[in-house]
Amino acid sequence: MSDLPEQIGELWQRRGELSPADTDARRIVVEVVDLLDRGEARVAETAATGEVVVHEWLKEAILLLFTLSEMRTTELGPFEYVDKIPLKTGYERAGVRVVPGASARWGSFLDRGVILMPSYVNIGARVGASTMVDTWATVGSCAQIGERVHLSGGVGIGGVLEPPNAAPVIVEDDALVGSRCMVTQGARVGAGAVLGEGTILNPAIPVVDAETGEELSRGVVPPWCVAVSAARRRELPGGEFYLPCVLVLKRLNEGERHDKAKLNDVLRTHGVSA
Ligand SMILES: CC(C)(COP(=O)(O)OP(=O)(O)OC[C@H]1O[C@@H](n2cnc3c(N)ncnc32)[C@H](O)[C@@H]1OP(=O)(O)O)[C@@H](O)C(=O)NCCC(=O)NCCS
């Protein structure tokens, strides 16, 4: 793997000239995407300082894969698909449960104990051990989802592929993301946080402490708290408007599960969706 970053860097420099006919280039890119698929490389990680480190060359490899791949038709019963990227395989060996209707693209990594209800996981995404991806949830390209997370029904985790240095969405271990939340553009949900249904979180959305009124961040929900969608009043030339914000309602002790989060365990045990 040692010189792969260099080789990808070189291919990236001349990406305008590449095509699916460049089999040597494709071989290198496939080798890199295989590393992502097996979980031996990851697009981004959180450093000890809390900073998100993005491994740009891995994202470049994913983007190159699209340039270097032909469209192919797949037929499955009455269904027909036309795409450049195959689906993941080998779930039983990987200890992953995949309910019919779920699909994950090759180049995403699903760790042991992951449950995919009918949902979608895109290339470059990483889903940690024992995480539940509930019905109609989507995990966008390169998103990094921790262990024991619950992505509830209809959650949209945005994909961040371009530019290669852009940080993907990160949801840390033990978080519960409520139904139909939209977490996009490199937003972050801290460990053990509970995000109420329908919350929109992106790097422009203020996260406010309900007790102090302090704006804690933009687009980052702190660890071990319960946060819900709220609105803040803004006076603009056109009148008075209410723009979304995220309100941190309460703080949890580290390791404490919010009562409603216990539902998570019930759902997991019975393999049903909410
Ligand atoms: C966010 C959540 C944890 C809050 O629960 P809670 O701590 O018991 O809080 P409460 O229900 O007492 O509500 C507290 C306040 O937040 C408000 N609130 C609750 N959920 C909200 C939401 N999703 N969006 C906005 N406000 C919300 C309540 O109206 C209440 O306001 P009030 O104090 O003015 O009456 C809860 O709504 C929840 O569990 N959501 C996730 C559920 C889910 O999606 N499950 C799917 C997987 S099973």
Side-chain angles (χ1 to χ4, degrees):
M1 172 173 163
S2 55
D3 60 348
L4 283 174
E6 223 169 278
Q7 293 180 57
I8 294 294
E10 189 268 323
L11 291 175
W12 183 250
Q13 291 310 315
R14 55 186 188 90
R15 59 190 178 282
E17 307 155 18
L18 297 173
S19 80
D22 293 301
T23 49
D24 284 348
R26 196 179 139 77
R27 189 182 40 74
I28 295 165
V29 166
V30 165
E31 195 180 332
V32 173
V33 177
D34 265 337
L35 293 174
L36 291 168
D37 191 73
R38 294 195 299 266
E40 291 167 20
R42 58 188 301 168
V43 162
E45 54 205 310
T46 311
T49 55
E51 289 300 300
V52 177
V53 179
V54 181
H55 302 295
E56 279 179 52
W57 70 281
L58 290 165
K59 279 177 136 198
E60 289 168 357
I62 293 171
L63 290 164
L64 287 166
L65 181 70
F66 285 92
T67 306
L68 293 166
S69 302
E70 302 267 19
M71 295 287 260
R72 281 187 206 289
T73 299
T74 308
E75 285 177 6
L76 174 74
F79 297 100
E80 180 182 296
Y81 303 98
V82 182
D83 191 21
K84 292 185 165 194
I85 314 283
L87 294 176
K88 259 187 106 60
T89 53
Y91 289 119
E92 193 171 355
R93 205 176 51 244
V96 171
R97 179 171 173 181
V98 183
V99 173
S103 37
R105 264 175 157 177
W106 168 65
S108 61
F109 174 64
L110 308 174
D111 211 340
R112 199 153 278 279
V114 164
I115 300 175
L116 292 191
M117 297 303 282
S119 56
Y120 187 73
V121 182
N122 209 342
I123 189 167
R126 185 181 174 102
V127 182
S130 301
T131 281
M132 154 83 87
V133 183
D134 220 327
T135 303
W136 303 133
T138 53
V139 182
S141 46
C142 302
Q144 306 288 301
I145 311 296
E147 301 186 354
R148 300 171 301 279
V149 168
H150 188 148
L151 300 180
S152 306
V155 161
I157 301 291
V160 183
L161 249 183
E162 288 185 276
N165 64 353
V169 171
I170 296 189
V171 179
E172 292 175 3
D173 297 348
D174 299 298
L176 188 158
V177 182
S179 301
R180 305 274 162 185
C181 287
M182 299 295 288
V183 184
T184 57
Q185 299 180 54
R188 291 174 64 182
V189 179
V194 176
L195 210 51
E197 300 94 321
T199 304
I200 294 176
L201 184 70
N202 69 43
I205 301 280
V207 177
V208 178
D209 189 305
E211 283 209 358
T212 61
E214 182 197 352
E215 181 177 316
L216 301 169
S217 73
R218 295 250 163 165
V220 180
V221 169
W224 304 106
C225 72
V226 177
V228 297
S229 170
R232 64 200 163 107
R233 188 159 53 89
R234 293 289 304 274
E235 290 195 21
L236 298 173
E240 206 174 80
F241 297 90
Y242 288 84
L243 297 184
C245 66
V246 171
L247 201 56
V248 174
L249 280 186
K250 58 182 117 168
R251 303 287 182 155
L252 304 168
N253 297 318
E254 188 169 335
E256 182 190 345
R257 306 290 283 176
H258 185 270
D259 268 359
K260 289 191 186 173
K262 285 184 186 149
L263 191 53
N264 198 359
D265 301 331
V266 179
L267 294 172
R268 186 180 308 284
T269 308
H270 299 286
V272 293
S273 114

